[in-house]
Amino acid sequence: MEDSMKVIVFQMDQQKYGANVMEVLSIEELENITSIPRTSEFIKGVVNLRGEITPVIDLKQRLRLGETSREKGTRMLIVQMGDVQAGLLVDEASDVVDIDTSTIEPAPEVINGINESFIKGVAKFDDSLLILLEMDQILNLEEVNELKEAAEEEVE
């Protein structure tokens, strides 16, 4: 029996990325985002997601790949970062696939301008490469605390 892992496939700038389904709580359509002043540029604001104030991060901007344009296909991947629930904006979330773990290669030092600390590995997928991201490594502790403050500020 081969080992596999279920991966949510999403796109940013025509490149496919993946995240372990265990790290993604849900995939949501883009909602109206309430801006919060004095936050990092990649923190776009907060949304009220089923009664929970959820900070929204532009994942593309966080990874220095440009800024996500807010269009019909834009999605938010809801993830847990430390003790904060956050929404990550991506261009599109397209599929859930099984990836044979034996096809996952270790992350090269830098891929497409992304530092390796975010990258779990690279897998072959549909005649292309799928960059697997470590969702809990997207932000450092200081940035997670900034998210927490942004969510708490909106509740007050």
Side-chain angles (χ1 to χ4, degrees):
M1 185 175 134
E2 66 184 38
D3 289 326
S4 65
M5 105 177 161
K6 288 205 177 295
V7 171
I8 292 176
V9 178
F10 56 96
Q11 282 190 256
M12 295 184 294
D13 278 347
Q14 308 302 315
Q15 169 65 51
K16 290 182 178 176
Y17 294 85
N20 188 328
V21 295
M22 302 302 284
E23 296 179 305
V24 179
L25 304 173
S26 65
I27 300 172
E28 305 290 334
E29 290 188 13
L30 187 61
E31 297 186 20
N32 290 330
I33 299 172
T34 303
S35 298
I36 297 178
R38 295 177 289 126
T39 56
S40 295
E41 197 171 339
F42 60 86
I43 299 175
K44 294 303 176 188
V46 293
V47 295
N48 184 342
L49 189 64
R50 292 181 277 283
E52 186 163 345
I53 302 301
T54 304
V56 178
I57 297 168
D58 186 336
L59 184 57
K60 195 190 295 185
Q61 199 169 22
R62 175 65 184 103
L63 302 182
R64 299 184 188 154
L65 299 172
E67 190 169 348
T68 302
S69 58
R70 299 176 192 183
E71 299 174 0
K72 189 176 178 183
T74 305
R75 294 289 181 264
M76 283 192 307
L77 305 180
I78 307 300
V79 300
Q80 194 73 34
M81 295 181 157
D83 55 353
V84 179
Q85 176 178 293
L88 303 176
L89 291 180
V90 298
D91 291 339
E92 179 183 323
S94 55
D95 217 349
V96 176
V97 298
D98 288 311
I99 299 288
D100 181 347
T101 55
S102 69
T103 67
I104 300 173
E105 300 288 330
E109 285 189 22
V110 175
I111 294 178
N112 203 15
I114 301 172
N115 186 300
E116 70 174 301
S117 65
F118 305 133
I119 301 172
K120 185 181 296 186
V122 179
K124 291 178 186 164
F125 174 71
D126 281 351
D127 298 328
S128 64
L129 296 176
L130 184 66
I131 299 172
L132 301 172
L133 298 180
E134 292 268 11
M135 303 313 263
D136 60 351
Q137 299 295 314
I138 300 292
L139 301 180
N140 62 36
L141 183 59
E142 185 177 308
E143 293 164 332
V144 170
N145 286 334
E146 185 179 355
L147 273 187
K148 197 183 313 183
E149 287 173 16
E152 289 170 355
E153 203 169 283
E154 186 62 20
V155 171
E156 292 174 358

